[in-house]
Amino acid sequence: MTARPAKEAPPRPARRTPPVPRLPRPGGPAGPRGLYTRLKRAWDRPLTAYYLVLGGSLLITVLGLVMVYSASQIKALQSGLAPTYFFRKQLLAAVLGGGLMVLATRLPVRAHRALAYPLLAGSVFLMCLVQVPGIGVAVNGNQNWISLGGPFQLQPSEFGKLALVLWGADLLARKQERRLLTQWKHLLVPLIPAAFLLLGLIMLGGDMGTAIILTAILFGLLWLAGAPTRLFVGVLAAAGAIGALLIKTSANRMSRLACIGATDPGPGDQCWQAVHGIYALASGGFFGSGLGASMEKWGELPEPHTDFIFAITGEELGLAGTLSVLALFAALGYAGIRVAGRTEDPFVRYAAGGVTTWITAQAVVNIGAVLGLLPIAGVPLPLFSYGGSALLPTMFAVGLLIAFARDEPAARAALAMRQSVFARMPAGVRRKTMRRRVKKRPSGER
């Protein structure tokens, strides 16, 4: 009997290995969404405002020194001076301003508050001296300068901006601590009378540009204090009426107002400066004609190293250079708003908001005039234009922002943690860490 063959088992189906899920990158998802996530995470870091204020202000100041050197050489030679005359004075002011900035970052908040009243009193005293014959000096028709002997002059109204910021912040902070800002009389008095005193002394010298910046600082302080909208409307209407009267009674101011958007110098070349500022920007193209290669600074554009240095920047560095300057000011303004919005100290909030309003408003007025969108107000570009009287108080104000940004609770904790971790490293590891920081990390180590 033949044996039956064993029945073969049916073949088993092959096991399908499940696909290995693709892990996201350590830095976040790829693509535009991942880029947005990483940028948002970077903006939300505790030390972002600190680095933005410190890095942005230093970059603006260094680039300003370069442009002052380039824009002022022809002006100095035409005046019979050395080509580096204005640059050397600006460099000296930047060094002194750097010392003031470091001092402001080291002083505690109570020391800043203690400086408010002496600084306000000193500014008012100096602004009164401007009107004394033999002491005050007129520059370009404005009696707002004091001669310090030799080539050095002082403009007290620039220090009046810093005085209004510190004194107004201290005043509003003390009233907020006593819960008095809900009453109109405590909100307006004595802040409005003191601001009007400074504005009156400035307008006695005919400097309407500085008066506009001081008014912007006042509005910024009132807005931070929670002033009602109807108060803003009333104060703005009063300021507009006074400004219209001052413009109407001055032929020089009327001619500046008429030059908004001008494309032709007009009768008597009254719009010569505004038009040649546009010519400088238009001839720069995207990357500019090259550093030092401006044609408008050869006597065509008045004040190329002060009020219209932005036009020379556009001609020599092009659209790329001007957009870089705008980006730096935008970063500085964002950091100031962030510092004012995240603090719990009322003085820090008012002071940071006042400084941010001051710098951004002055930058807008200066750049708007160069672009032909606003009347020429005669105010320098902060940290950028030539002028030691404007640079010194501005750098001290930037030091205030740096100190406030560093003293945020989260920023203070982050700095303390970095210092403790770095201090516990062996010396060799510390050196390797410092060398590694200057190199670009691979994506897998982020």
Side-chain angles (χ1 to χ4, degrees):
M1 192 172 180
T2 307
R4 298 178 62 183
K7 190 175 181 181
E8 296 181 0
R12 291 185 179 182
R15 295 183 62 182
R16 305 182 69 181
T17 305
V20 179
R22 181 174 294 179
L23 298 177
R25 285 188 174 183
R33 186 177 179 181
L35 178 62
Y36 170 77
T37 303
R38 289 193 294 272
L39 288 177
K40 187 175 184 301
R41 191 180 305 162
W43 283 112
D44 291 337
R45 288 176 181 171
L47 294 174
T48 297
Y50 172 74
Y51 289 133
L52 282 179
V53 176
L54 179 61
S57 59
L58 291 180
L59 285 174
I60 293 172
T61 304
V62 171
L63 184 58
L65 286 172
V66 173
M67 292 311 305
V68 165
Y69 176 70
S70 175
S72 64
Q73 295 182 58
I74 307 304
K75 179 73 174 179
L77 291 173
Q78 290 174 343
S79 303
L81 304 170
T84 59
Y85 173 78
F86 294 107
F87 170 74
R88 284 187 277 112
K89 289 183 63 177
Q90 186 73 356
L91 181 61
L92 175 62
V95 172
L96 296 176
L100 290 176
M101 185 173 69
V102 173
L103 176 64
T105 60
R106 298 300 180 184
L107 290 177
V109 172
R110 62 179 181 273
H112 292 145
R113 300 185 72 164
L115 282 174
Y117 283 86
L119 185 59
L120 179 66
S123 299
V124 171
F125 176 72
L126 291 177
M127 291 166 71
C128 292
L129 285 182
V130 167
Q131 306 303 323
V132 177
I135 299 179
V137 178
V139 177
N140 294 331
N142 293 336
Q143 184 84 12
N144 281 301
W145 298 81
I146 294 177
S147 177
L148 299 180
F152 297 100
Q153 295 177 339
L154 179 69
Q155 189 176 5
S157 57
E158 293 292 339
F159 293 87
K161 302 173 187 176
L162 179 61
L164 180 60
V165 168
L166 288 178
W167 178 79
D170 178 68
L171 175 69
L172 294 174
R174 286 189 289 106
K175 291 197 173 188
Q176 180 175 333
E177 292 167 356
R178 299 175 185 175
R179 300 182 179 180
L180 298 175
L181 291 181
T182 56
Q183 305 176 30
W184 276 53
K185 61 179 181 180
H186 288 288
L187 185 63
L188 300 180
V189 180
L191 180 61
I192 300 294
F196 278 10
L197 172 63
L198 293 174
L199 288 171
L201 291 173
I202 290 173
M203 290 308 300
L204 277 178
D207 189 0
M208 192 167 183
T210 304
I212 293 173
I213 306 304
L214 212 68
T215 305
I217 295 174
L218 175 62
F219 283 169
L221 292 174
L222 290 175
W223 182 78
L224 290 169
T229 306
R230 58 183 179 275
L231 175 63
F232 278 102
V233 174
V235 175
L236 188 60
I242 296 174
L245 179 63
L246 293 174
I247 292 174
K248 191 70 176 178
T249 55
S250 173
N252 182 34
R253 298 190 187 113
M254 284 294 295
S255 65
R256 292 187 179 190
L257 190 65
C259 292
I260 297 178
T263 57
D264 185 85
D269 291 335
Q270 65 176 1
C271 298
W272 179 273
Q273 187 176 20
V275 171
H276 279 269
I278 298 296
Y279 289 169
L281 291 171
S283 60
F286 192 83
F287 293 109
S289 58
L291 194 62
S294 169
M295 298 298 296
E296 290 292 334
K297 68 183 180 184
W298 287 78
E300 298 295 332
L301 179 63
E303 306 299 332
H305 59 305
T306 55
D307 302 344
F308 271 68
I309 194 171
F310 189 75
I312 302 299
T313 304
E315 185 179 4
E316 295 188 350
L317 302 183
L319 181 63
T322 55
L323 289 181
S324 300
V325 174
L326 290 175
L328 290 173
F329 276 109
L332 194 59
Y334 165 81
I337 294 172
R338 173 169 165 164
V339 171
R342 293 195 173 190
T343 183
E344 297 180 357
D345 189 332
F347 172 79
V348 172
R349 180 169 62 254
Y350 294 131
V355 170
T356 305
T357 304
W358 163 14
I359 294 177
T360 54
Q362 188 163 323
V364 168
V365 171
N366 178 276
I367 295 174
V370 174
L371 296 176
L373 303 176
L374 295 173
I376 300 174
V379 296
L381 190 58
L383 302 173
F384 201 83
S385 296
Y386 169 79
S389 295
L391 187 61
L392 294 179
T394 307
M395 293 193 75
F396 186 89
V398 170
L400 290 177
L401 284 181
I402 294 174
F404 297 156
R406 188 183 56 196
D407 286 342
E408 288 183 11
R412 192 164 55 244
L415 286 173
M417 183 177 64
R418 288 188 179 186
Q419 291 173 359
S420 62
V421 171
F422 194 73
R424 289 197 299 266
M425 291 180 179
V429 178
R430 283 203 299 267
R431 287 194 294 269
K432 291 181 180 179
T433 303
M434 293 301 295
R435 287 197 296 267
R436 192 181 300 118
R437 284 181 179 178
V438 300
K439 298 178 182 179
K440 185 177 180 181
R441 301 181 188 176
S443 59
E445 294 181 7
R446 290 177 185 169

